[in-house]
Amino acid sequence: MGGPAAFKLLFARPQPVGDEEPIQDVAAFIWDLHFGVPLPNPLGTTPPPPWPQGHFSRELPQWLEIRFKALGATAARKLEGQEISRETWFDPKASAYQRLILPYEQPFVTRVKLAR
C-alpha cells in the first residue's frame, strides 16, 4: 500500500462521540508511505524495478523496506492556513509543492530484517 491510499488511512480518524476527546494524529506530518522489498542491484548498471515489488505466497523476504516523507512540527505550523490540496502532497513537480513543501520535506528510508 502506498501513495494516496496510505495517506487516507493515516488521516482518516473517527469523530468523537459525546464527551470523548478528539483523537490526536499519530502521524500528522507523514505522507507518501510505502512498504516494499528492496531488490539488489549489485552492478548499479540497470535501474531497479518500480517500487514496491513482489508477492510472497511461500516465504517471507529477508528484508522489508519502509519509505515515507515527513515534516517537523515547526515546518508543519508554517504551512497551517495554506491552500494545499491532497493531490499537491503527491505531486513533487507541482509549483505549490516546490514552493511550500519541498524546502521542509524530510525523506526517510529504513530496512527491517525479518526473522526466519
Side-chain angles (χ1 to χ4, degrees), residues 14-36:
Q15 297 298 317
V17 177
D19 293 341
E20 291 180 354
E21 290 189 29
I23 296 171
Q24 297 290 326
D25 290 328
V26 174
F29 311 120
I30 293 175
W31 75 101
D32 206 17
L33 175 66
H34 294 275
F35 299 92

Side-chain angles (χ1 to χ4, degrees), residues 10-11 25-31 68-77 80 89 106 108:
L10 287 174
F11 287 93
D25 290 328
V26 174
F29 311 120
I30 293 175
W31 75 101
F68 61 91
K69 296 176 184 176
L71 293 179
T74 304
R77 279 192 292 276
E80 283 181 2
W89 285 97
Q106 298 174 8
F108 290 91

Side-chain angles (χ1 to χ4, degrees), residues 37-38 56 59-64 111-116:
V37 178
F56 304 95
E59 187 176 315
L60 287 175
Q62 185 175 3
W63 295 91
L64 176 66
R111 290 185 179 175
V112 178
K113 184 170 176 45
L114 302 175
R116 293 189 173 240

Side-chain angles (χ1 to χ4, degrees), residues 52-112:
Q53 315 87 3
H55 296 280
F56 304 95
S57 60
R58 296 181 188 200
E59 187 176 315
L60 287 175
Q62 185 175 3
W63 295 91
L64 176 66
E65 188 169 280
I66 303 166
R67 298 179 184 189
F68 61 91
K69 296 176 184 176
L71 293 179
T74 304
R77 279 192 292 276
K78 290 180 182 181
L79 295 178
E80 283 181 2
Q82 298 288 330
E83 293 293 324
I84 303 174
S85 70
R86 197 176 274 206
E87 290 77 29
T88 301
W89 285 97
F90 295 99
D91 185 7
K93 294 179 183 176
S95 63
Y97 188 101
Q98 296 284 322
R99 202 171 16 87
L100 299 171
I101 300 169
L102 187 60
Y104 307 110
E105 175 185 300
Q106 298 174 8
F108 290 91
V109 178
T110 190
R111 290 185 179 175
V112 178

